[in-house]
Amino acid sequence: MKNRKQERRNKIITTDREGPVILKLAGPMVFSMLGLMIFNLVDTFFVGRLGGVELAAVSFTFPVVMVLGSIAHGLNSGITASVSRAVGKGDLQQTAALVTRGLILALMMVAVFAGIGLGTMEMVFTWLGADDATLPVIKAYMRIWYPGAVFFVVPAAAHAALFGLGDTRTPSAITLVTALLNAVLDPFLIFGIGPFPALGVSGAAVATVIARGAGFVYLLGLPAIKKNVFTVGQHHPDPIYKDWARILQVGGPGIAIKLTASGFSGMITRMVADFGSSAVAGFGIALRLEMLFIVPITAVVQAMPVFIGQNLGAGEKTRMQRGVSFASRFFLVCGAVVYLFVLTVAGPAARLINPAPDIVQVTVLYMTVAPLAYGFYAMMQMAVSLLNVLKRPMLSTGIVLAQIFAVFLPLALWGGRCFGLAGIFGALAVSWAITGFFGAWLTRAGIT
């Protein structure tokens, strides 16, 4: 019964009108994105109650968190693309093998990441600009966060597998529930309510690990098994390294690209740190608010590899072209609407997290400048993801490198000297606009 339901879902992706199919895939992802945003914003809100030093310390961790997200995102792109192609071809045995072996690969990669992270904390965060006041707070947070990284990457890989199967509802619901659990635990563990000890910033890390761990247990113990996508103990003709190669053919370049983008985030944080810890705190708030504001856009970006992968497997190039055109128009319209909304709520939202005027000023400045290019940012992200799915990793890599080194860096160095933080944030918006336009063009050309 469930297999027939899955087959009907997959047939819809390769036959129904492109726009409604993409939005239907993206709809449940909105809840998944909201779950992630709740995680970040709730942590930021409660840590902001502790003070500016604590808020700046957690903001310094953002580039490192992005590194883990980069590994997860790249690996997930490979899993989603590989699984969706296998589904599009109707190869259920390979589909099941790719899911199981993708999870094993994720576990190995996060173990290496956590080990390296624990051994390089002081060096990394000193380079990012952390001072004697923020560095001890950062260490207290990351000593808990690093070992708990497994509860982020492995479930994210399982989510990617379910996305490839066309199921965006199950992982989205799990993400939202675990985010709510984190929101409940945060105040108890940070401030020491009732029998709980007051752990401060470390409490935010503990709450995150517990909540994600609960999602890890549920995801791997119930829905994945019920969907019969695991092959543990079953025979499969291909050795495991061949399935890893299939995943990394797409995911490998994706990981490299996202790691480059993480280094880019560290670069911006370092530039902002020259303006003081309050600037870093305000910038950190802005990034977390941004993730919330662009949820509808991000959901469609994440839905596109599923749509393209299954239609590629089915040989439906015309549908792929129409899907990319629809998504591009959606990004531009939605980006304009989001910008108008951001102008209205950025100030009050920043003051809710931390009312310090110098912190709020930086947050509002960023939210006034960078969101101008949200639509093009989404087009750039779509291009990077889809060109990997289309097995054109060099073009995908070229987009990211051009955005960082050919456009942003020269403009930011010049703009920072002439206009301060406004120049750095403006350079970011311009780099998104230019590479987003050319990225969309390259994607459409790559489908033909």
Side-chain angles (χ1 to χ4, degrees), residues 6 9 24-36 39 76 79-80 103 151-180 211-212 214-216 218-220 222-224 227 229 302-303 306:
Q6 183 68 52
R9 181 187 293 127
K24 187 174 181 179
L25 286 170
M29 290 184 181
V30 168
F31 295 99
S32 179
M33 294 293 99
L34 284 174
L36 292 173
F39 258 113
N76 294 352
I79 294 173
T80 298
L103 297 181
F151 296 135
F152 172 75
V153 174
V154 177
H159 289 187
L162 294 173
F163 286 159
L165 290 165
D167 179 6
T168 59
R169 295 180 181 179
T170 301
S172 299
I174 294 171
T175 301
L176 185 58
V177 170
T178 55
L180 294 174
R212 290 196 184 280
F216 174 90
Y218 180 82
L219 179 63
L220 298 185
L222 290 177
K227 291 177 180 295
V229 295
Q302 292 196 359
V306 180

Side-chain angles (χ1 to χ4, degrees), residues 338-359:
V338 168
Y339 179 69
L340 295 176
F341 176 74
V342 167
L343 289 179
T344 304
V345 304
R351 283 187 288 273
L352 180 65
I353 294 173
N354 190 295
D358 49 348
I359 294 177

Side-chain angles (χ1 to χ4, degrees), residues 381-404:
Q381 293 297 320
M382 177 181 70
V384 170
S385 296
L386 297 190
L387 287 170
N388 279 329
V389 174
L390 295 168
K391 296 185 178 181
R392 297 182 182 234
M394 295 305 295
L395 287 177
S396 181
T397 303
I399 291 172
V400 175
L401 295 179
Q403 187 250 333
I404 296 172

Side-chain angles (χ1 to χ4, degrees), residues 412-435:
L413 291 174
W414 172 77
R417 286 195 300 268
C418 297
F419 306 105
L421 286 172
I424 297 173
F425 299 155
L428 184 62
V430 172
S431 69
W432 286 344
I434 293 174
T435 51

Side-chain angles (χ1 to χ4, degrees), residues 188-203:
F188 287 93
L189 292 171
I190 292 173
F191 304 115
I193 298 174
F196 295 92
L199 299 177
V201 169
S202 298

